[in-house]
Amino acid sequence: MAVAIREQEIRLPEEVQKRFSDNQLTGADVLAMWLVRNGSRYIHGITGGSIVNFSNALDPWITAGFINSSISSREDAAFYSAMGNAIGETILTGENQPGVVVASSGPAPANFQAAAWTANEEGIPVKFCSRQCKREY
């Protein structure tokens, strides 16, 4: 099975093919496939229990060499890394490719605020993902 990425057909990693053929794709798999299909090459972020499924979904793509990941010690550092990556992609390739940053739930998305404001003011495209956890009230 293949998907089109940047006008090229590539084979899905075997683990993803198996989950796809068994109708066992999760939302994390779909998000990982969407990021790869849209040309995201680097993902910056913080690991955590709430996004472990997404980390596992990225693993076959990282192993196959489609995505590189970097782990930061702080959310804002990950966001600024993604911004730097977006600027670098634009300068080196001429493509306006957004940086991608992920974080776990809780205060992590709030820690993106300053960096998100900076990216918005500077016109730097950044995609950020965080998990929403179910709360019982």
Side-chain angles (χ1 to χ4, degrees):
M1 178 178 300
V3 294
I5 297 177
R6 296 182 182 231
E7 292 82 38
Q8 298 176 346
E9 286 219 352
I10 58 134
R11 290 192 54 77
L12 294 173
E14 287 184 31
E15 186 178 329
V16 177
Q17 281 186 36
K18 182 172 180 352
R19 287 196 299 253
F20 189 83
S21 63
D22 294 345
N23 289 329
Q24 293 182 347
L25 284 179
T26 63
D29 290 315
V30 172
L31 179 59
M33 196 178 307
W34 180 82
L35 288 170
V36 170
R37 186 168 186 184
N38 285 289
S40 299
R41 295 185 197 127
Y42 302 94
I43 294 182
H44 307 272
I46 304 284
T47 59
S50 66
I51 61 166
V52 75
N53 291 338
F54 181 64
S55 299
N56 291 341
L58 280 176
D59 191 49
W61 297 101
I62 292 169
T63 303
F66 291 105
I67 291 180
N68 295 306
S69 65
S70 72
I71 297 173
S72 299
S73 59
R74 295 181 48 179
E75 291 86 358
D76 56 345
F79 206 102
Y80 285 116
S81 295
M83 286 172 49
N85 188 246
I87 293 169
E89 286 284 319
T90 303
I91 292 170
L92 294 175
T93 65
E95 298 176 15
N96 197 15
Q97 186 63 37
V100 180
V101 63
V102 297
S104 60
S105 61
N111 294 336
F112 285 154
Q113 288 180 351
W117 183 84
T118 304
N120 184 53
E121 289 298 308
E122 297 295 328
I124 302 168
V126 179
K127 299 173 189 172
F128 54 100
C129 308
S130 180
R131 180 161 185 245
Q132 178 179 351
C133 292
K134 183 178 179 182
R135 295 186 102 180
E136 298 292 331
Y137 292 100

